[in-house]
Amino acid sequence: CAKIVKKQMEVAGIRAKILPEKNGNPVVYGEVRSKSSAKTLLIYGHYDVQPPEPLEEWVSGPFEAKMQGKKIIARGAADSKNNVSSCIKAVEAYLKTIGDVPLNVKFIFEGEEEIGSPHLPSFIEENRERLKADSVVCYDGDLDETGRAEISLGVKGLLYVELRCRKAREDLHSSYAPLVENPAWRLILALSTIKGTDDRILVKGWYDDVEPFTPAQSRLVGKIPFRAENLLREWGVKKFLHAKTAREALKRYLTEPTCTICGFKTGYIGQGSKTVLPGSAMLKLDFRLVYNQNPRNQLRLLKVHLRSRGFDDIQVKALGFLEPSRTKPSAPIAKAAAKAAKMVYGTSPVVLPRHPASGPDYVFTKRLGLDSIWTGSGPPSAYSHAHAPHEFPPVAHFLAGVKYLAGIIHSYANIA
């Protein structure tokens, strides 16, 4: 994939190279220098995708890129091949029409975003000089459900862990339950101490570093359109969790840390019955974090919590760390993107003070000290089947996305 991206960039007129990552997937780096401006915009994206399973639910091969009407169906077509291709084509359009770009453009397309960007922080540190810029656009987002561009001034962080417990050497006959401890029950009991029925995380100190929204951020929340009924209908659920109104649900969505069981594996889960006492059990958890929680500190709190409650027999393995990020609403790149959105989509964008999902935005805001926005041109993830079978972007979204990024480049080049 890295070679394909590099070739597409070179065909478009972008100087590109593959920069290897020790023990990880390479980063594709590219740049185009402007003849008329010293200002530099750094654009981030990723070429990796989620696993395609379950394969049997796809209407076509996950990597066939099948056209169905006006949709492109393929794994990663929305997240984030649509956006990566838009970035390349936007710069190609400038070079083919006026032979120049309004400002210097640098690209980094990584290959590990979907597993938490584990090697990106070290890459950033090793390439500080190469990555010098004035602002960053993380072009990995999608449109609001109303069809308006969506600009996020930061993202939530992430701690992803795996919990394992083993008792017997192998699965046993379930009649031995009075004699041998059940590792599945150990994990269930541990989970019951981590989160309460009110959805609040019970780990001591978990909320100590949470910073509430500023007045400016809170004002943005009040302007966000939230089509609650559409989401409920799309998901096939009747009501939101612990929220009496749509606005309350939106506030929880944006502001609260989360703890989610992503998967649980133990014992026999095939068809029919099999009376076994599992020898081992494993589950995966993700914790979405808000500013200014640090995933490594939260991991320490989780381990202390489990030990203090007698769960020394549970192994905790960290699989991913992402810090939360934020950029001020007044940042020039945010204003430039808003202007471009109105120019391309005909309406003002939806501006989120924080995106509820996670990404490696913190390497730009915290490590490089730059203003950064998260935006893009894909269909809303709730409707595009991102990370699921039948993932798609409409062709129209792709074409508009090329114009949108070209507009951001133009607007940022000309903003004071």
Side-chain angles (χ1 to χ4, degrees):
C1 283
K3 290 178 180 177
I4 291 171
V5 173
K6 176 178 179 287
K7 183 177 180 180
Q8 289 181 342
M9 294 170 76
E10 290 173 337
V11 169
I14 302 167
R15 289 186 297 168
K17 61 177 64 178
I18 294 177
L19 302 177
E21 282 272 28
K22 186 178 180 180
N23 301 319
N25 296 330
V27 171
V28 185
Y29 174 80
E31 62 178 57
V32 178
R33 295 193 177 275
S34 173
K35 301 172 186 176
S36 56
S37 174
K39 189 181 288 187
T40 300
L41 184 63
L42 177 62
I43 298 173
Y44 163 87
H46 66 93
Y47 63 82
D48 62 314
V49 300
Q50 285 281 340
E53 288 79 9
L55 297 175
E56 67 275 8
E57 293 188 16
W58 285 83
V59 294
S60 59
F63 299 104
E64 290 180 10
K66 181 180 179 181
M67 290 294 299
Q68 188 177 79
K70 296 181 179 180
K71 300 176 181 177
I72 307 169
I73 298 179
R75 167 51 81 236
D79 185 12
S80 188
K81 295 173 183 177
N82 169 75
N83 286 325
V84 169
S85 299
S86 293
C87 294
I88 296 170
K89 288 297 180 181
V91 169
E92 181 181 27
Y94 273 113
L95 296 177
K96 284 190 174 181
T97 54
I98 63 174
D100 192 17
V101 282
L103 45 66
N104 301 315
V105 184
K106 296 180 178 179
F107 299 92
I108 54 170
F109 297 130
E110 69 155 323
E112 298 182 332
E113 192 273 345
E114 297 291 6
I115 57 170
S117 305
H119 297 98
L120 190 61
S122 59
F123 173 84
I124 295 294
E125 290 298 329
E126 293 166 5
N127 291 274
R128 278 182 169 271
E129 189 65 28
R130 190 197 302 271
L131 300 176
K132 279 188 175 179
D134 296 287
S135 291
V136 181
V137 173
C138 294
Y139 208 66
D140 186 29
D142 43 39
L143 301 179
D144 176 75
E145 61 174 318
T146 61
R148 296 158 63 185
E150 186 174 273
I151 300 170
S152 298
L153 303 174
V155 297
K156 284 186 177 180
L158 181 73
L159 169 64
Y160 200 109
V161 300
E162 186 176 277
L163 303 186
R164 288 183 176 271
C165 184
R166 175 173 287 279
K167 293 301 179 181
R169 184 170 57 244
E170 57 192 18
D171 289 357
L172 304 176
H173 193 288
S174 65
S175 66
Y176 293 119
L179 306 179
V180 180
E181 201 167 16
N182 188 322
W185 275 114
R186 290 294 290 165
L187 290 184
I188 291 170
L189 292 171
L191 288 174
S192 70
T193 73
I194 292 174
K195 193 170 82 164
T197 56
D198 61 354
D199 223 31
R200 188 167 179 83
I201 299 168
L202 304 176
V203 176
K204 184 178 180 181
W206 198 261
Y207 295 88
D208 286 358
D209 296 326
V210 172
E211 292 187 10
F213 277 166
T214 64
Q217 290 174 310
S218 296
R219 285 193 292 272
L220 289 176
V221 176
K223 299 178 181 178
I224 297 172
F226 189 57
R227 304 295 191 269
E229 299 81 6
N230 294 349
L231 288 176
L232 292 173
R233 184 166 53 251
E234 177 71 17
W235 297 337
V237 297
K238 295 181 179 180
K239 62 180 181 178
F240 294 117
L241 183 65
H242 301 304
K244 295 180 180 179
T245 66
R247 300 312 299 183
E248 185 181 350
L250 175 62
K251 184 178 179 181
R252 291 192 68 235
Y253 185 42
L254 295 174
T255 64
E256 293 191 8
T258 68
C259 172
T260 302
I261 300 173
C262 300
F264 202 147
K265 183 178 181 181
T266 188
Y268 178 72
I269 54 174
Q271 290 185 350
S273 64
K274 185 179 182 182
T275 51
V276 298
L277 168 62
S280 64
M282 179 274 288
L283 65 84
K284 296 178 185 289
L285 291 175
D286 81 37
F287 296 89
R288 300 283 172 173
L289 309 176
V290 301
Y291 215 84
N292 197 23
Q293 292 178 305
N294 184 289
R296 285 176 171 78
N297 181 58
Q298 306 305 116
L299 175 64
R300 181 186 62 81
L301 294 175
L302 177 63
K303 289 181 175 180
V304 169
H305 171 87
L306 291 172
R307 283 198 305 269
S308 68
R309 280 155 180 78
F311 294 104
D312 293 341
D313 55 336
I314 293 179
Q315 176 189 1
V316 182
K317 181 181 179 181
L319 299 179
F321 301 97
L322 288 170
E323 295 178 35
S325 66
R326 70 177 179 194
T327 289
K328 293 181 179 179
S330 58
I333 186 60
K335 294 181 178 179
K339 186 175 181 180
K342 193 167 186 178
M343 180 167 51
V344 174
Y345 296 103
T347 183
S348 298
V350 175
V351 182
L352 304 182
R354 173 194 297 143
H355 199 285
S358 306
D361 191 40
Y362 75 96
V363 299
F364 307 118
T365 60
K366 292 184 175 180
R367 303 297 185 267
L368 297 182
L370 301 174
D371 290 330
S372 175
I373 61 166
W374 203 277
T375 192
S377 61
S381 58
Y383 305 102
S384 66
H385 301 290
H387 294 196
H390 319 314
E391 180 177 356
F392 73 91
V395 172
H397 282 67
F398 167 64
L399 297 176
V402 177
K403 298 176 184 178
Y404 179 36
L405 187 60
I408 293 174
I409 291 171
H410 171 80
S411 298
Y412 186 62
N414 292 283
I415 202 166

